[in-house]
């Protein structure tokens, strides 16, 4: 790692974190103004309010980070131009293209941060925030979805459940283990109650029968060798599949595709999660293109805000087109970023020719 890159990265990080704090603060302040009456009427304590917004913070960071990265990059390049740092670097043999590449590496780092926030911290935080809002503020229990008469296969097991709730609790489970030739049942398990957590299926007060050995036994509790994630069964029923993690959504797509379902909408969302994180690298080129045209910090920031708005509209349009099947999911998710990157590269090429 070169000294110049460390200098650029640290200076860019300071600007980004400052801009992120301002943007996130404005976002939460706006939301707080809208919800404050409800929180006060419910008698929510300051600690509960703090916990609610702390849980929502990773999702807010993940949502605004591309725009914040663009603003921080534009401000940094403008400051370097006005402080004559860019001229000094060019005199020392460091081209504007080298600075742009360094910003792309910064975009890769913050893109990984955005992906982690959106796929890990944001999902956990939104679950906590929703429980606080519905149970402690609205004073009502969150409604759990329930699936009845569920059937599925897992390797050499065929499983049926009379009821499966979204919290992983279920009843009336029957599991049949097929022999290697698939002509008979080696094991039959029946249980009045079961629970599943992250692919682990535990049955209680179960009756295990081995027909070939004419043996049956009662077992208070044991784990079935199943790998199926019960959360996938609720994907097709989900009102907001975009809240699913990248990996869970990928598994759901695979399962639903094998079942013959139309998965174009889910595929668009899956690609969109990657494209949104990767957009930070595209924003590095956009920032360089903006400053190559106008290095006045006020005009550059204003143009960056306009670009952010246009990108947001294009992203919504691409997602809608992909989910409706009007364009391939890859084009719907990645198209806006490719368009943005193409325009930025054209501008940088033109600026290079003029230089």
């Amino acid at each position: 790692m070169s000294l110049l890159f460390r200098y650029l990265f640290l200076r860019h990080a300071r600007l980004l974190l400052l801009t992120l704090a301002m943007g996130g603060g404005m976002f939460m302040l706006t939301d707080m103004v809208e919800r404050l009456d409800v929180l006060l009427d419910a008698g929510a304590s300051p600690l509960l309010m703090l916990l609610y917004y702390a849980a929502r913070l990773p999702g807010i960071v993940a949502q605004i980070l591309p725009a914040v990265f663009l603003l921080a990059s534009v401000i940094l390049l403008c400051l370097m131009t006005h402080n004559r740092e860019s001229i000094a670097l060019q005199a020392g043999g460091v081209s504007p293209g080298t600075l742009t590449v360094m910003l792309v590496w910064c975009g890769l780092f913050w893109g990984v941060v955005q992906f982690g926030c959106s796929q890990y911290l944001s999902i956990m935080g939104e679950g906590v925030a929703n429980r606080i809002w519905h149970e402690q503020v609205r004073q009502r229990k969150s409604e759990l979805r329930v699936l009845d008469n569920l059937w599925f296969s897992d390797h050499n097991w065929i499983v049926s459940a009379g009821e499966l709730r979204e919290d992983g609790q279920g009843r009336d489970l029957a599991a049949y283990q097929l022999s290697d030739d698939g002509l008979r049942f080696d094991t039959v398990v029946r249980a009045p109650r079961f629970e599943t957590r992250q692919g682990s299926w535990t049955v209680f007060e179960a009756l295990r029968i081995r027909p070939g050995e004419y043996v049956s036994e009662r077992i208070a509790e044991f784990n079935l060798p199943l790998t199926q994630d019960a959360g996938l069964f609720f994907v097709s029923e989900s009102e907001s599949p975009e809240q699913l993690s990248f990996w869970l959504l990928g598994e759901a797509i695979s399962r639903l595709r094998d079942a013959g379902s139309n998965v174009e909408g889910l595929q668009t969302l899956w690609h969109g999660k990657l494209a949104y994180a990767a957009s930070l690298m595209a924003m590095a080129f956009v920032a360089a293109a903006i400053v190559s045209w106008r290095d006045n910090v006020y005009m550059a920031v204003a143009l960056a805000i306009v670009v952010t708005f246009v990108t947001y509209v294009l992203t919504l349009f691409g997602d809608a087109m992909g989910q409706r099947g009007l364009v391939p999911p890859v084009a719907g998710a990645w198209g806006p970023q490719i368009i943005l990157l193409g325009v930025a590269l054209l501008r940088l090429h033109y600026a290079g020719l003029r230089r």
Side-chain angles (χ1 to χ4, degrees):
M1 184 183 294
S2 68
L3 179 63
L4 176 60
F5 178 75
R6 289 199 299 271
Y7 170 77
L8 187 72
F9 178 83
L10 292 175
R11 192 172 176 188
H12 182 271
R14 285 195 292 268
L15 286 171
L16 184 142
L17 292 175
L18 177 61
T19 309
L20 185 63
M22 294 175 60
M26 292 177 61
F27 194 103
M28 286 195 290
L29 183 61
T30 302
D31 186 83
M32 188 178 295
V33 169
E34 295 178 355
R35 297 175 182 256
L36 187 60
D37 290 342
V38 179
L39 291 168
L40 293 177
D41 291 342
S45 65
L47 180 60
L48 184 65
M49 295 183 191
L50 180 62
L51 179 60
Y52 173 74
Y53 282 103
R56 295 197 61 197
L57 184 60
I60 295 172
V61 170
Q63 185 175 349
I64 68 175
L65 194 52
V68 168
F69 180 87
L70 176 61
L71 288 172
S73 300
V74 163
I75 293 171
L76 175 63
L77 292 176
C78 287
L79 290 177
M80 292 182 70
T81 300
H82 284 273
N83 292 337
R84 303 294 189 269
E85 292 177 278
S86 298
I87 297 176
L89 288 173
Q90 291 183 49
V94 179
S95 67
T98 301
L99 291 178
T100 303
V101 171
M102 290 182 178
L103 278 180
V104 172
W105 282 107
C106 293
L108 176 61
F109 172 82
W110 291 108
V112 172
V113 172
Q114 191 279 336
F115 191 77
C117 282
S118 63
Q119 304 309 309
Y120 287 104
L121 301 178
S122 174
I123 292 174
M124 292 187 294
E126 285 297 326
V128 172
N130 287 335
R131 284 195 295 272
I132 292 174
W133 182 257
H134 290 292
E135 297 177 9
Q136 296 182 255
V137 177
R138 291 297 191 179
Q139 299 295 321
R140 61 170 180 252
K141 293 184 178 180
S142 300
E143 296 183 0
L144 295 175
R145 290 171 294 175
V146 178
L147 296 178
D148 297 318
N149 194 26
L150 175 68
W151 286 82
F152 67 92
S153 62
D154 189 335
H155 300 294
N156 61 333
W157 286 84
I158 299 175
V159 183
S160 72
E163 178 183 283
L164 175 63
R165 299 193 310 174
E166 194 175 9
D167 62 356
Q169 302 293 322
R171 61 177 179 83
D172 299 335
L173 180 137
Y176 308 88
Q177 184 183 26
L178 292 171
S179 61
D180 293 336
D181 57 15
L183 299 178
R184 64 182 185 279
F185 293 131
D186 283 346
T187 305
V188 178
V189 178
R190 297 183 182 275
R193 185 170 66 89
F194 69 95
E195 68 177 17
T196 175
R197 291 286 186 276
Q198 297 179 348
S200 174
W201 293 71
T202 305
V203 294
F204 303 94
E205 302 174 4
L207 174 65
R208 182 166 62 184
I209 305 170
R210 301 182 186 276
E213 302 174 7
Y214 301 100
V215 174
S216 66
E217 56 181 332
R218 286 282 181 182
I219 303 177
E221 175 183 338
F222 77 100
N223 292 329
L224 285 172
L226 304 176
T227 59
Q228 177 67 54
D229 190 333
L232 295 178
F233 295 120
F234 294 91
V235 171
S236 59
E237 304 292 331
S238 177
E239 296 179 359
S240 54
E242 64 274 5
Q243 296 298 323
L244 297 172
S245 70
F246 177 78
W247 294 272
L248 185 59
L249 187 58
E251 292 179 21
I253 291 171
S254 178
R255 182 176 65 84
L256 293 173
R257 185 194 296 116
D258 293 341
S261 299
N262 185 346
V263 295
E264 288 183 336
L266 295 179
Q267 284 180 319
T268 303
L269 290 174
W270 186 84
H271 284 287
K273 292 177 181 293
L274 280 177
Y276 199 72
S279 67
L280 277 85
M281 289 184 284
M283 290 299 183
F285 289 101
V286 173
I290 290 174
V291 176
S292 72
W293 182 57
R294 287 290 185 274
D295 58 10
N296 180 286
V297 66
Y298 301 107
M299 293 186 64
V301 167
L303 186 56
I305 294 173
V306 172
V307 170
T308 300
F309 176 76
V310 172
T311 304
Y312 180 72
V313 172
L314 288 176
T315 300
L316 290 180
F317 181 74
D319 287 345
M321 295 284 284
Q323 293 185 40
R324 292 173 182 269
L326 299 177
V327 297
V330 174
W334 290 93
Q337 314 304 333
I338 293 174
I339 292 173
L340 193 68
L341 180 61
V343 173
L345 289 176
L346 284 175
R347 168 60 202 172
L348 290 174
H349 177 70
Y350 176 72
L353 291 178
R354 290 184 58 190
R355 188 177 293 109

